[in-house]
Amino acid sequence: MELLRILVGNTRGNNSKNAASFCHHIRRTCISRFHGTPSFESIVQGATPVEAYHRLVQSGSIRFDERQLQALRPLERLHKDLEDYNPSQLQSHGLASRLLRAIGALKQSTQPPCGVYIHGGVGTGKSLVADIFYHCSPIQRKRRVHFHNFMLDVHRRLHEAKLSGDIGGSDDIMNAVSEQILDAGWLLCFDEFQVIDIADAMILRRLLESLFNSGAVIVASSNRSPEELYKNGLQRDLFLPCIGYIKKHCEVYSFHPESPDYRLIGARPDGSSALSVVWYKPLNPETKTLFEQSFTRLAGGRKIEPSVLKSGARCIQVPRAAGGIAWFDFKDLCDTPKGAADYIAIAASFHTIFVANIPQMTSSHNEMARRFITLIDVLYEQKVKLIASASVDPKDLYLPSLEDADVVEPSASSANKNQKEGAFYAEKDEEFAFARTVSRLSHMQSLDYLSAPWTSPGKDFICYLERTRLQEGDVQRIWDRYNVDADSRLSRSELKLMMEDLTEIKCGHRNVPQEVLDDMFNKVDANRDGVIVWTEFCNYIMQYGLEILHA
């Protein structure tokens, strides 16, 4: 498995469409407001969600937003419905109670009330209204959790249940895990409900069915409507029943498409601009002071502290973080061994990045320039807001023809001047790529970019990176590692071990659903003879990369 960690790390693609997919960092989407993070201290005990919202407005914790108030209406209804709901009878009677409920023989008080599924744009206030509901609910057995966190826990429990061998078939295992979840809380409030992993998609149908049949009530916030969940995903037809369960057991509420994103740099609720400058130059004490003040201002009342992101087996140190805002020094990002996977993990965790002390670079800084190009590509694709302090304007950041004495001293890792004959062509390639970077940096300062919603990382970008970096020798070493009996074929159990290792590296769990294993085996087995030989394995990995082999 260690060999695979090294190989996956070398591809610089060990992340997924969701910086949470392959990354184990768990982010909580924070709403960056003029007054900072809302405080619930002003809410009196026994208040309903709507009453609590007005209390927060009166206390100055938040600004009034009619759209958020409307989004609280279905949560207000659920809050009242839960007063007469007791799931104990439903859970204790098991199958019998489910049959009685199906024919309407159970009392109304034991039938689960309809939950709430809220979807809308990033930063509109979905998490805020869900937090208010959760805070107001007197239910003792309740749980508020990021959905990615929840699914990691489910995969861990499923894997442990399979290993124990004490439970029967897959349905029995799922029901047992469902009971464990409900023991911790039957009112489940999910933040950022999304499905991007095929492993999640394959088990979610049975999981939701078991939870709803056992009396669970779900409140979820999401960037996607139920119909758009796992859109264009592999074997999506097997996931479609989940959408039906959600629509049957939850009231679906859509935020108005024009709801403002309160996390954006230029989108305060009162219409004023939070920051008027996003590119600070030159590098001098005055600029440093202004740059520091901008970070503090945008952080609002949130606590500023160091943080650590996990990208597969790697840890990324974040010097300063405040909610969805992070601070890095240029050398931390571009003068240390970092690649696209690290930058994707950062882009998936923070909607706004401060990068301090960007120097002017020459041919002696080619490594730093390459990393900076990749960094900007990732941030730009994910619509992450960049606020930077630099020695010069973007168009003058990379000038290979300048003498090194005219700019900053290169560090030990990048001061290695290339005197080889091919250096000229490499330099031309970098100059060409940097021209695109300059264009993107210019656009990243525009109002339309700063007003665009933050997006989650794209899987295609990672697959491309892995396909361009893996060589046949790498694939041979993978084959040798997992072809345990050293014969001429890769068995289903050997492929499963490889997929479990990859899934653990990428997603933090080792649960590979049988449907996913069968589907992958059939894809690698090109001639469909029930056997995976070396040529089939090599051709598949060289074409699609390792990314496709995790659950």
Side-chain angles (χ1 to χ4, degrees), residues 477-508:
R477 289 196 296 275
I478 298 171
W479 172 272
D480 293 343
R481 165 65 178 83
Y482 289 95
N483 185 18
V484 179
D485 50 12
D487 60 2
S488 60
R489 62 188 64 183
L490 196 71
S491 68
R492 193 176 294 265
S493 61
E494 290 168 338
L495 179 64
K496 181 179 180 181
L497 176 61
M498 178 180 174
M499 292 180 68
E500 286 178 339
D501 283 353
L502 270 170
T503 302
E504 181 178 10
I505 294 170
K506 304 275 191 175
C507 302

Side-chain angles (χ1 to χ4, degrees), residues 225-244:
S225 67
E227 291 80 3
E228 293 180 327
L229 290 171
Y230 198 52
K231 192 174 183 179
N232 301 320
L234 296 173
Q235 298 186 3
R236 189 172 188 262
D237 57 320
L238 298 178
F239 173 78
L240 292 179
C242 290
I243 298 175

Side-chain angles (χ1 to χ4, degrees), residues 396-415:
D396 297 321
L397 277 179
Y398 182 60
L399 300 176
S401 60
L402 283 185
E403 292 293 330
D404 296 330
D406 296 335
V407 295
V408 297
E409 284 294 321
S411 67
S413 65
S414 62

Side-chain angles (χ1 to χ4, degrees), residues 15-23 25 27 29 120-123 146 148 192-197 222-224 228-231 261 263 340-341 343-351 377-385 449 452-462:
N15 209 316
S16 82
K17 186 173 184 178
N18 181 311
S21 42
F22 302 131
C23 300
H25 58 80
R27 74 178 191 269
T29 304
V122 175
H146 190 288
H148 179 67
E192 294 193 27
F193 193 104
Q194 58 180 337
V195 184
I196 57 176
D197 253 0
S222 177
N223 293 337
R224 292 181 175 272
E228 293 180 327
L229 290 171
Y230 198 52
K231 192 174 183 179
D261 184 345
R263 293 176 302 187
Y343 301 143
I344 291 172
I346 293 170
S349 303
F350 302 101
H351 55 73
D377 282 347
V378 171
L379 298 183
Y380 185 84
E381 292 296 331
Q382 311 315 321
K383 296 297 184 289
V384 174
K385 310 305 179 281
Y449 181 91
W454 178 38
T455 60
S456 56
K459 184 175 180 180
D460 293 341
F461 179 47
I462 301 164

Side-chain angles (χ1 to χ4, degrees), residues 233-268:
L234 296 173
Q235 298 186 3
R236 189 172 188 262
D237 57 320
L238 298 178
F239 173 78
L240 292 179
C242 290
I243 298 175
Y245 289 138
I246 292 172
K247 296 174 72 173
K248 178 180 178 181
H249 295 278
C250 295
E251 177 182 351
V252 178
Y253 180 86
S254 174
F255 257 94
H256 193 283
E258 295 179 358
S259 295
D261 184 345
Y262 288 111
R263 293 176 302 187
L264 296 180
I265 295 169
R268 279 181 175 168

Side-chain angles (χ1 to χ4, degrees), residues 161-162 165-173:
K162 292 175 184 177
D166 298 332
I167 309 176
S170 58
D171 287 339
D172 294 329
I173 292 175

Side-chain angles (χ1 to χ4, degrees), residues 185-458:
W186 53 263
L187 175 58
L188 295 169
C189 299
F190 296 128
D191 194 26
E192 294 193 27
F193 193 104
Q194 58 180 337
V195 184
I196 57 176
D197 253 0
I198 186 173
D200 291 351
M202 292 302 101
I203 69 172
L204 203 52
R205 175 184 60 81
R206 287 178 292 155
L207 176 63
L208 288 182
E209 181 180 25
S210 181
L211 288 174
F212 284 131
N213 284 339
S214 297
V217 177
I218 289 178
V219 171
S221 62
S222 177
N223 293 337
R224 292 181 175 272
S225 67
E227 291 80 3
E228 293 180 327
L229 290 171
Y230 198 52
K231 192 174 183 179
N232 301 320
L234 296 173
Q235 298 186 3
R236 189 172 188 262
D237 57 320
L238 298 178
F239 173 78
L240 292 179
C242 290
I243 298 175
Y245 289 138
I246 292 172
K247 296 174 72 173
K248 178 180 178 181
H249 295 278
C250 295
E251 177 182 351
V252 178
Y253 180 86
S254 174
F255 257 94
H256 193 283
E258 295 179 358
S259 295
D261 184 345
Y262 288 111
R263 293 176 302 187
L264 296 180
I265 295 169
R268 279 181 175 168
D270 60 0
S272 65
S273 175
L275 292 178
S276 58
V277 178
V278 295
W279 191 270
Y280 292 80
K281 69 174 183 69
L283 296 178
N284 58 30
E286 181 181 359
T287 296
K288 180 179 180 181
T289 300
L290 292 173
F291 194 64
E292 292 272 2
Q293 290 174 348
S294 295
F295 180 81
T296 304
R297 188 190 316 164
L298 205 59
R302 293 184 296 271
K303 184 178 180 180
I304 300 173
E305 57 188 356
S307 182
V308 177
L309 299 180
K310 285 190 175 182
S311 173
R314 298 161 63 95
C315 290
I316 304 169
Q317 302 295 326
V318 183
R320 282 186 264 177
I325 303 169
W327 170 294
F328 294 90
D329 190 88
F330 174 81
K331 287 189 174 182
D332 295 333
L333 292 176
C334 300
D335 201 23
T336 57
K338 284 185 173 62
D342 302 303
Y343 301 143
I344 291 172
I346 293 170
S349 303
F350 302 101
H351 55 73
T352 302
I353 304 294
F354 280 70
V355 179
N357 303 313
I358 303 176
Q360 191 176 50
M361 293 168 277
T362 70
S363 58
S364 293
H365 307 84
N366 282 346
E367 280 297 320
M368 286 199 298
R370 291 190 200 104
R371 292 191 184 106
F372 186 68
I373 290 168
T374 303
L375 170 66
I376 298 305
D377 282 347
V378 171
L379 298 183
Y380 185 84
E381 292 296 331
Q382 311 315 321
K383 296 297 184 289
V384 174
K385 310 305 179 281
L386 172 68
I387 304 172
S389 68
S391 58
V392 292
D393 288 321
K395 64 182 179 62
D396 297 321
L397 277 179
Y398 182 60
L399 300 176
S401 60
L402 283 185
E403 292 293 330
D404 296 330
D406 296 335
V407 295
V408 297
E409 284 294 321
S411 67
S413 65
S414 62
N416 188 15
K417 251 192 174 179
N418 193 341
Q419 300 295 336
K420 296 181 181 180
E421 183 178 353
F424 173 75
Y425 298 101
E427 180 177 289
K428 294 291 287 186
D429 288 341
E430 286 151 6
E431 286 186 85
F432 179 82
F434 209 89
R436 181 184 72 245
T437 300
V438 171
S439 175
R440 291 188 164 185
L441 286 172
S442 177
H443 185 220
M444 291 169 83
Q445 299 178 54
S446 66
L447 181 60
D448 65 326
Y449 181 91
L450 295 175
S451 301
W454 178 38
T455 60
S456 56

